[in-house]
């Protein structure tokens, strides 16, 4: 992360959520000044802003995401732990129930973090703003992009302060990056400027879940365990998760695919927990003190905008994070995908010594390559449900038959579990699960399972009643 | 050994002569067909290409290569091209061409057995994976061919997996 040889004057990042913060941090190495523009007011504490309802819900930071973030914020892991987050090897405290049993625990060799999303974002935000050359303009709405007269280059933005006087300011920059998430207005802006908007892939999943937070007793022997219950699709449609987070709390999110949504009244939510194949979440919820209401969240579809396929794109402008692609959040890949994209932008700027000419096609190509894996993983899993609709990858039903065998194999073979976790954590490509050696393991484990199907209790005892 | 039978249909808005040429010039496949790593001629055929033997190396979604030689056994210009495979896959492949108006339909029937011990051993479990891999490679081929010819791949091109045959090792 050495500074580029040619440093540009000013970069603007639209959106001060996770992708925007990471992008601003990266650009602070390549530009003299970086301005973050955020529509909502940003408080100097962990909070879920109005424009980011998803942040109230369960989040995990995958190992590769944490690894990248610690590159840019070297004290992040210590700060997370000091604040009460759970940082540890991904596989060691796992209670992951699926396909009728718990996956065997394993050592991944890489740490992941469990905390509330607002807390993580707060740590990342304070560290980004501590860069010295990064400024945050909050409560500011971007009204439009400013271009050169030939519209070949974006040179700035017109922002309106969302205060009483609604003052309008013009900001110019050498590079503007749209990190405003799924609601990004870039496609619309491009069309208004005479460009073609990107083609979209949309996969409808109709996932609905809800979240409630409980008090956690740190002396409980399972107080650092994380519970995940994922469905044996399509027979089961519900998932549940219970993660320990800072402030001695449990965060519980439960929901389902294909319209099998979780209820949002506390009694109904507790009852929903009782329908899970393992009683872990239910047992905790019955005993612990609820600290919040039940908040609902609906995720109708995964959406990918194919900027990499555009042949014309204005200079001086990029799009990054959920604004390119937002996938079903139940796989926990959003923040990590954004971190990988920000790191790719950093690498690209370093390789080009800060040269911004034609950077957009090069960046979108790299971003598409990064997005391919989490998109295929999420969409592939979603297509296990017959109700899922949208562009279906060739042969995915066949692939999913093998993936189901991999899921089952993780119940008996920790090596398969580790290989699967590496793919899920975006640390290894999916074909690593298809080597002849891995296929032999999967086959052997499935044969073993057929002979002796393990009961939940024989693999890992459920949390105490 | 494990038997596999696949049928793929591509529909393209290109003349049959252009499609025929692209398919018969097998040594150029790597230029347009993602997944075909190399095609090497081992023996030339007659003027029509009959009797020619080529070695094909495939690298697809699966993290290993697959290699086999194929001898052209039947050439009927613009209608039919068939061959016999020997190597890590053995069996027969047949391309059938039909032109209706401005649309050319190409059908590929691929009836093969795996010869490697591990592939045979794992067939009961890995069969869907091998079939998926085949579908992906054929989808790449269809897209690649359309792009190569400056044509479009038209709908109803889904690869069809035929009913599974009885496997001798199961």
């Amino acid at each position: 992360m050495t500074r580029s040889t040619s440093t540009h004057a000013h970069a603007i990042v639209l959106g001060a959520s996770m992708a925007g913060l990471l992008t601003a941090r990266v650009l602070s190495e390549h530009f003299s000044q970086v301005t973050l523009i955020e529509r909502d007011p940003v408080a100097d504490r962990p909070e879920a802003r109005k424009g980011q309802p998803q942040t109230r819900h369960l989040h995990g930071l995958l190992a590769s995401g944490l690894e990248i973030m610690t590159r840019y914020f070297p004290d992040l892991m210590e700060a997370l732990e000091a604040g009460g987050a759970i940082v540890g090897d991904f596989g060691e405290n796992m209670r992951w129930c699926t396909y009728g049993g718990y996956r065997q625990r394993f050592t991944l060799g890489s740490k992941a973090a469990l905390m509330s999303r607002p807390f993580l974002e707060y740590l990342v935000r304070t560290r980004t703003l501590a860069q010295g050359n990064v400024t945050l303009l909050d409560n500011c709405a971007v009204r439009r992009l400013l271009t050169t007269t030939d519209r070949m280059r974006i040179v700035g933005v017109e922002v309106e302060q969302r205060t009483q006087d609604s003052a309008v300011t013009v900001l110019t920059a050498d590079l503007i990056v749209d990190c405003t998430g799924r609601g990004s207005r870039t496609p619309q802006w491009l069309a208004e400027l005479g460009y073609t908007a990107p083609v979209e892939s949309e996969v409808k999943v109709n996932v609905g879940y809800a979240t409630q937070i409980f008090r956690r007793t740190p002396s409980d022997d399972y107080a650092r365990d994380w519970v995940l219950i994922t469905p044996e699709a399509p027979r089961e449609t519900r998932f549940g998760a219970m993660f320990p987070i800072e402030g001695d709390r449990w965060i519980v999110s439960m929901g389902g695919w294909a319209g099998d949504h979780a209820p949002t009244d506390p009694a109904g939510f507790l009852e929903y927990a009782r329908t899970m194949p393992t009683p872990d979440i239910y047992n905790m919820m019955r005993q612990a003190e609820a600290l919040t209401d039940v908040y609902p969240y609906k995720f109708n579809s995964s959406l990918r905008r194919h900027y990499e396929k555009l042949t014309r794109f204005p200079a001086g402008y990029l799009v990054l994070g959920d604004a390119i692609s937002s996938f079903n959040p139940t796989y926990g890949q959003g923040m990590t995908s954004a971190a990988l994209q920000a790191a790719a932008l950093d690498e690209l700027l370093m390789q080009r010594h800060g040269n911004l000419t034609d950077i957009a096609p090069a960046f979108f190509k790299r971003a598409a390559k990064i997005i391919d894996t989490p998109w295929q993983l999420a969409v592939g899993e979603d297509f296990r449900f017959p109700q899922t609709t949208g562009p279906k990858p060739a042969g995915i039903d066949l692939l999913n038959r093998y993936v189901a065998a991999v899921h089952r194999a993780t119940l008996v073979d920790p090596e398969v579990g580790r290989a699967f976790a590496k793919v899920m954590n975006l640390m290894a490509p999916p074909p690593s699960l298809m080597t002849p050696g891995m296929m032999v393991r999967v086959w052997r484990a499935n044969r073993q399972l057929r002979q002796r199907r393990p009961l939940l209790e024989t693999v890992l005892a459920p949390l105490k009643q | 050994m494990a038997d596999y039978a696949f049928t793929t249909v591509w529909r393209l808005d290109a003349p049959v002569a252009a499609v025929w040429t692209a398919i018969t010039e097998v040594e150029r496949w790597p230029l347009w067909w993602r997944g075909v790593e190399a095609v090497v001629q081992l023996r030339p055929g007659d003027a029509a290409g009959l009797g020619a033997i080529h070695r094909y190396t495939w690298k697809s979604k699966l993290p290993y290569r697959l290699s086999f030689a194929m001898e052209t056994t039947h050439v009927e210009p613009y209608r039919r091209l068939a061959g016999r495979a020997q190597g890590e896959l053995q069996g027969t492949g047949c391309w059938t061409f039909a032109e209706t108006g401005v649309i050319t339909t190409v059908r590929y029937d691929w009836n093969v057995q795996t010869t490697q011990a591990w592939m045979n051993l794992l067939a009961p479990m890995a069969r869907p994976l091998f079939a998926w891999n085949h579908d992906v490679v054929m989808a790449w081929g269809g897209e690649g061919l359309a792009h190569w010819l400056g044509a479009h791949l038209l709908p109803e091109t889904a690869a069809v997996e035929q009913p599974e045959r009885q496997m001798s090792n199961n």
Side-chain angles (χ1 to χ4, degrees):
Chain A
M1 281 179 290
T2 46
R3 223 166 254 272
S4 305
T5 44
S6 97
T7 305
H8 294 276
H10 188 210
I12 292 174
V13 177
L14 309 180
S17 196
M18 198 55 82
L21 293 168
L22 295 170
T23 301
R25 171 65 189 86
V26 158
L27 296 180
S28 74
E29 301 284 340
H30 304 276
F31 291 79
S32 315
Q33 279 298 323
V34 180
T35 306
L36 267 161
I37 301 177
E38 167 59 42
R39 193 185 50 186
D40 292 327
V42 177
D44 189 22
R45 59 167 189 276
E47 61 159 6
R49 287 193 302 276
K50 184 166 158 274
Q52 33 166 223
Q54 77 280 12
T55 61
R56 280 180 187 278
H57 301 272
L58 181 126
H59 274 70
L61 181 54
L62 299 177
S64 54
L66 180 60
E67 190 270 318
I68 287 170
M69 288 187 199
T70 48
R71 261 191 252 163
Y72 293 102
F73 311 107
D75 72 332
L76 182 66
M77 231 187 266
E78 291 76 23
L80 279 164
E81 283 188 297
I86 309 292
V87 179
D89 190 280
F90 176 87
E92 282 177 352
N93 289 82
M94 174 180 88
R95 285 176 175 272
W96 188 335
C97 178
T98 192
Y99 288 81
Y102 288 100
R103 295 191 202 277
Q104 291 285 331
R105 286 180 174 179
F106 52 83
T107 306
L108 183 67
S110 294
K111 288 179 171 179
L114 304 174
M115 70 274 117
S116 72
R117 162 70 187 266
F119 178 54
L120 174 66
E121 191 167 312
Y122 169 74
L123 294 181
V124 167
R125 183 169 65 238
T126 48
R127 277 155 185 75
T128 300
L129 296 179
Q131 283 302 307
N133 60 345
V134 180
T135 316
L136 171 66
L137 290 181
D138 64 346
N139 217 8
C140 278
V142 175
R143 298 217 308 193
R144 62 191 188 97
L145 301 177
L146 305 171
T147 67
T148 48
T149 46
D150 62 3
R151 296 183 165 182
M152 298 293 274
R153 167 177 293 278
I154 309 292
V155 291
V157 288
E158 193 179 276
V159 294
E160 180 184 329
Q161 271 172 10
R162 297 173 78 203
T163 46
Q164 279 165 340
D165 60 350
S166 298
V168 172
T169 322
V170 164
L171 291 170
T172 60
D174 306 282
L175 180 68
I176 296 165
V177 188
D178 175 10
C179 299
T180 55
R182 186 174 171 121
S184 155
R185 281 185 290 158
T186 294
Q188 205 180 310
W189 286 333
L190 284 177
E192 284 163 15
L193 292 171
Y195 289 87
T196 311
V199 173
E200 293 182 349
S201 297
E202 187 174 15
V203 174
K204 292 209 168 86
V205 293
N206 193 6
V207 166
Y209 57 94
T211 297
Q212 193 174 19
I213 292 175
F214 296 86
R215 193 177 301 288
R216 180 168 59 98
T217 310
S219 57
D220 281 342
D221 55 1
Y222 58 85
R224 289 176 66 86
D225 283 0
W226 53 276
V227 177
L228 195 55
I229 302 163
T230 51
E232 179 175 344
R235 193 172 64 78
E236 300 168 336
T237 47
R238 294 182 178 182
F239 74 92
M242 164 179 143
F243 286 6
I245 59 169
E246 81 281 358
D248 295 333
R249 295 175 298 167
W250 290 110
I251 186 165
V252 172
S253 289
M254 290 184 290
W257 274 260
D260 187 14
H261 299 176
T264 54
D265 62 293
F269 197 55
L270 179 68
E271 189 52 30
Y272 198 82
R274 211 161 66 88
T275 68
M276 296 281 151
T278 162
D280 290 342
I281 299 176
Y282 179 70
N283 287 349
M284 183 283 290
M285 283 174 67
R286 259 188 346 156
Q287 302 171 67
E289 177 194 353
L291 300 174
T292 65
D293 290 337
V294 182
Y295 296 110
Y297 189 69
K298 289 226 186 340
F299 188 84
N300 193 42
S301 61
S302 293
L303 181 69
R304 182 167 182 182
R305 300 188 175 108
H306 294 279
Y307 284 104
E308 78 280 7
K309 290 187 180 160
L310 290 177
T311 47
R312 277 182 76 235
F313 197 81
Y317 195 78
L318 293 175
V319 185
L320 188 150
D322 274 20
I324 302 182
S325 180
S326 75
F327 11 80
N328 185 343
T330 56
Y331 307 108
Q333 300 165 326
M335 294 192 293
T336 296
S337 168
L340 287 164
Q341 290 171 48
L345 177 58
D346 190 15
E347 196 185 314
L348 194 60
L349 286 166
M350 272 191 283
Q351 282 171 0
R352 306 168 130 245
H353 305 289
N355 182 1
L356 298 175
T357 313
D358 292 330
I359 194 169
F363 173 72
F364 287 135
K365 202 173 154 192
R366 289 187 186 207
K369 213 169 162 215
I370 290 166
I371 292 163
D372 274 345
T373 300
W375 175 266
Q376 282 166 17
L377 289 173
V379 163
E381 292 276 297
D382 287 336
F383 271 115
R384 296 182 304 161
F385 300 97
Q387 298 92 337
T388 301
T389 58
K392 194 169 177 174
I396 196 75
D397 293 336
L398 294 162
L399 176 63
N400 279 339
R401 278 163 60 186
Y402 178 71
V403 173
V406 171
H407 282 306
R408 288 194 190 93
T410 62
L411 307 186
V412 290
D413 187 345
E415 280 307 315
V416 180
R418 193 204 321 269
F420 171 75
K422 282 198 166 163
V423 171
M424 222 203 68
N425 277 277
L426 307 180
M427 296 162 71
S432 62
L433 290 169
M434 304 166 197
T435 61
M438 197 50 67
M439 277 194 226
V440 170
R441 296 198 88 106
V442 170
W443 172 71
R444 204 185 283 145
N446 277 268
R447 202 178 52 169
Q448 228 176 306
L449 273 172
R450 270 196 300 276
Q451 285 159 0
R452 174 191 58 83
R453 194 170 172 85
L455 300 169
L456 285 174
E457 293 75 22
T458 62
V459 185
L460 199 69
L463 299 184
K464 64 184 177 194
Q465 293 274 326
Chain B
M1 271 186 234
D3 294 344
Y4 296 84
F6 301 109
T7 298
T8 305
V9 178
W10 297 332
R11 290 176 68 241
L12 299 140
D13 53 350
V16 69
V19 178
W20 170 266
T21 305
I23 298 289
T24 49
E25 289 179 353
V26 294
E27 281 160 85
R28 303 179 80 176
W29 282 9
L31 297 175
W32 54 267
W33 195 332
R34 182 179 163 199
V36 182
E37 199 168 67
V39 181
V40 179
Q41 193 187 68
L42 303 181
R43 186 179 84 186
D46 68 7
L50 199 66
I53 301 180
H54 291 88
R55 170 160 290 282
Y56 296 77
T57 308
W58 301 81
K59 171 85 178 74
S60 53
K61 287 273 191 178
L62 297 176
Y64 45 82
R65 288 171 177 74
L66 202 60
S67 177
F68 53 85
M70 197 132 183
E71 180 183 354
T72 307
T73 56
H74 184 100
V75 182
E76 196 181 331
Y78 306 156
R79 292 190 61 84
R80 196 156 166 261
L81 176 73
R84 191 164 48 229
Q86 286 279 320
E88 290 170 0
L89 291 181
Q90 65 179 40
T92 59
C94 181
W95 296 96
T96 318
F97 301 77
E99 195 177 30
T100 7
V102 291
I103 309 290
T104 297
T105 304
V106 201
R107 174 185 165 125
Y108 188 61
D109 289 290
W110 187 222
N111 295 290
V112 285
Q113 300 175 325
T114 50
T115 59
Q116 283 182 300
W118 72 269
M119 290 184 116
N120 294 333
L121 173 76
L122 292 176
M125 185 201 68
R127 168 174 294 277
L129 198 57
F130 296 149
W132 161 73
N133 195 52
H134 175 81
D135 282 2
V136 170
V137 170
M138 295 309 287
W140 287 344
E143 287 156 20
L145 179 58
H147 190 73
W148 177 251
L149 298 174
H152 299 91
L153 194 60
L154 305 168
E156 296 162 54
T157 57
V160 183
E161 194 193 1
Q162 290 190 335
E164 291 176 9
R165 292 182 187 179
Q166 195 58 47
M167 290 170 293
S168 54
N169 65 342
N170 198 6

